[in-house]
Amino acid sequence: MKTEYASAVAAVKAMESTLMTQNDIEQLINTSTKSERQAFIDSRNGDVKNISDVWEMLMTFASDSKELKILLYRNDFHNLKAVLKAMISNRDPEIYYVSPSNVTLEELKKAFRDKEADILPEHMRETARSAYELLTRTLDGQLSDSLIDCAALEAMQKSAADCGSEFMKRYAALISACADIKTAYRCSKMGKSRQFLESAVCGSSELDKEALIRSALSGVEALYDYLKKSGYEEAAELLKENPAGFEKWCDDVIMELAADARMQAFGVEPLAAYYIAKEAELKNIRIINVCKESGTAREIITERMRKLYV
């Protein structure tokens, strides 16, 4: 399998030259107008305009890779939420649909419209059934969202373990830990019940589910203490002093993982790393555009920039 992806890795290595550097980001921050920013972005991106273009390129080399598909699980489950809510409220789900994804909009619509969850990937079927039953019975969108979000993390971790990739297992564990910390923090602030936390917190090899829930129920200070004892001291400090900085920290932790995977010569890891790097780059561009339009100070924009791996 690793030999099979040799040409893909070579292609990705060549594509890395189009990724933005720290100097590029600084130039982009220094631009004066939206058109100037777009011209600069176009000059660097070449044929790759968005994350769907990146995914399409990767799939030309590794369309059978189960490991890479895990990168899109969060999009798939987001779209599951979007289609379910749109169906309940009689709206068009297309405006909420995000790409790229492993599951098409039509497949999701059919699964709910015809009550045929079996047409979905196996790791989504039971979640689709449970979320549909929960939302139609209670009309509690928040509870339904929590169920689906938690199921997405569980599916990522299970699929990563099944495929045997250490990189993907670590990726899924870190994504889950960051999401669980964020959930526990918000629930602690809002005084959510144990029942809600048990449905919303996934658990991972990084953080024990029961211990995290118990600390959140005891208040934010207890949560900070638990995170510090669990090796997440920086995350705890950021949540305490600068919650927006925690979001950046989560992205940077994943980028550090991708930077290590980038150095491998074979396998899907460099392909996944390139996708993650492009996601970070596009997020930086979005942040810059929003901040520039709102007149945010240059220093603050710089502070919000995600790590790059080039």
Side-chain angles (χ1 to χ4, degrees), residues 81-100:
K81 288 192 295 186
V83 171
L84 178 56
K85 284 186 174 181
M87 181 192 70
I88 295 297
S89 59
N90 197 30
R91 296 180 180 177
D92 183 359
E94 190 166 1
I95 60 175
Y96 307 110
Y97 188 81
V98 296
S99 297

Side-chain angles (χ1 to χ4, degrees), residues 42-73:
D42 290 342
S43 71
R44 296 293 288 120
N45 280 345
D47 294 331
V48 179
K49 304 299 183 185
N50 53 55
I51 200 65
S52 292
D53 290 340
V54 175
W55 185 255
E56 186 176 339
M57 182 273 291
L58 293 177
M59 287 298 97
T60 62
F61 294 105
S63 60
D64 61 338
S65 172
K66 294 180 180 179
E67 296 96 325
L68 287 181
K69 287 180 170 58
I70 295 171
L71 296 172
L72 301 189
Y73 276 23

